[in-house]
Amino acid sequence: MPVDVLVGLQWGDEGKGKIVDVLAPTYDVVARFQGGPNAGHTLTFDGIKHVLHQVPSGIFHPHIINVVGNGVVLDPVVFRVELQKLTDRGVDWAKNLHISKKAQLILPSHRALDRILEEARGGGKIGSTLKGIGPTYQDKIGRTGLRVGDILATDFQQRYNEAVARHATLASFHGQTLEIEQAEADFFSAVDFLRTLQLADTEYLLNDLLRQGKKILAEGAQGSLLDVDFGTYPFVTSSSTIVAGACTGLGIAPRHIDKVYGISKAYCTRVGSGPFPTELHDEVGEQIRAAGREFGATTGRPRRCGWIDLPALRYSIMLNGVTEIHLMKADVLDEFDEIQICTHYRNPEGEETNQLPDLSDLQTMKPVYTSLPGWKVNLQQIDSAGSLPKELKDYVSFLEEQLEVPISIVSVGPDRVSTLHMG
């Protein structure tokens, strides 16, 4: 059986958690392949909102095996809190949750360094969530990081002490100290808890499941435009957020990849610093933010809001080989008389392009819009694709024509049931 991959096509926060939850019943396995607690996947069902940070979004389905892959950076403290919340809500996660021994550990000193390094950037801040993600990935690439499997070693304490000493030296370059003593108690308690879980060489587990004919859904975090190679560098995350990251983040061969679900909002948002051509700094942007409750699931930060950006979407679709698009939060645009769609960019010389340029050029680009009539209907009261207003159907058709990829799902509300299958 194949591996299908779900990726965000924008700057993250597209609604991937909800779609994983909707699709999950048709899969045997949900595997998270990158990122860390800087991601927040929000799922709403039975009138209850659930936010996951590191746990795969298939965890609410008892028949599904959930895997935290080697590409993830894991904070044991956050992970334990997540699992306790699931327990409090009656979710029996213990049997079906597996964690890669090769996943990197986020240490208290990583979180301290994240803050120190971000402050050192002054006005050029990246917009880090300060969860220790960047420093952990730096250690991974620098071959000095600690992995989940290391907690089983008899000399783990020594390895930990050596890592913290390196981090303390780096902090001293910026005239600061780590100040992590209080956080360390929680960390080591959480490590003891982590040792009781199913730690495994999950690359073998996943490939064995494939041989057994099991169907796997690979779940990414953040969005394609935050990819460390292809995003709006340097205002990106520290991992590969595109489909290729599923192969390296889970240990599966490219030949196993089948469907690629690309997730996009009906508009666009971004958290933190970096270019955003269609950003709205007026009352329209505020209206979108209020209607969409656009505040980070992890940090609570208000998201920057703007109209949908087709050059950026075309780029993400190309990089990921997207086979179908799931359009999220269409209901947020219910009250608008007109909906704007950025189809091209225009540079200062007046030349137009439908491609996403590199950072220096992108910062000079102005969006070129096409306007379509709004639907002015409360979409959350609609329960079938056939009942959607003509204006929204026209909006979907325009996007499909421009992007040359079918839109198979339109989400019209936060709840699991507010998910309409098109066609």
Side-chain angles (χ1 to χ4, degrees), residues 42 49 76 93 118 145 149 152 211-212 217-218 276-277 303 316 367:
T42 303
K49 178 180 175 181
W93 48 263
E118 185 77 342
L152 304 177
R211 280 190 287 272
Q212 295 171 29
L217 179 62
F276 185 177
R303 296 176 184 140
S316 295

Side-chain angles (χ1 to χ4, degrees), residues 35-213:
N38 54 340
H41 288 179
T42 303
L43 303 82
T44 304
F45 52 89
D46 300 331
I48 300 174
K49 178 180 175 181
H50 307 267
V51 179
L52 300 174
H53 299 283
Q54 299 171 108
V55 177
S57 299
I59 200 67
F60 297 101
H61 300 270
H63 76 281
I64 291 176
I65 296 171
N66 289 267
V67 176
V68 177
N70 58 275
V72 172
V73 291
L74 190 73
D75 186 324
V77 176
V78 175
F79 199 56
R80 180 175 58 174
V81 170
E82 273 189 83
L83 294 177
Q84 183 58 55
K85 288 181 178 179
L86 290 171
T87 299
D88 293 344
R89 291 182 173 179
V91 178
D92 183 9
W93 48 263
K95 182 177 68 174
N96 290 335
L97 179 62
H98 302 262
I99 301 99
S100 172
K101 291 181 182 178
K102 295 179 175 65
Q104 294 280 321
L105 284 174
I106 300 175
L107 311 182
S109 50
H110 285 132
R111 295 174 69 103
L113 272 183
D114 205 355
R115 174 187 57 80
I116 291 168
L117 296 175
E118 185 77 342
E119 289 175 356
R121 292 188 176 100
K125 287 181 170 58
I126 296 295
S128 170
T129 57
L130 305 182
K131 302 295 181 181
I133 309 299
T136 305
Y137 275 115
Q138 283 179 303
D139 278 1
K140 175 180 180 177
I141 299 304
R143 297 166 293 180
T144 59
L146 298 181
R147 305 202 287 188
V148 167
D150 291 331
I151 69 175
L152 304 177
T154 56
D155 64 343
F156 174 68
Q157 183 68 57
Q158 179 182 339
R159 299 184 194 188
Y160 173 86
N161 292 341
E162 291 171 352
V164 171
R166 287 193 298 271
H167 298 159
T169 299
L170 182 55
S172 70
F173 291 153
H174 296 279
Q176 298 204 41
T177 57
L178 294 175
E179 298 179 1
I180 59 172
E181 291 77 10
Q182 189 170 354
E184 284 184 316
D186 283 342
F187 174 79
F188 283 108
S189 174
V191 165
D192 286 340
F193 169 77
L194 190 58
R195 290 189 179 105
T196 69
L197 306 185
Q198 297 187 85
L199 312 182
D201 295 316
T202 52
E203 62 273 25
Y204 279 110
L205 171 65
L206 291 168
N207 280 282
D208 285 345
L209 290 168
L210 282 172
R211 280 190 287 272
Q212 295 171 29

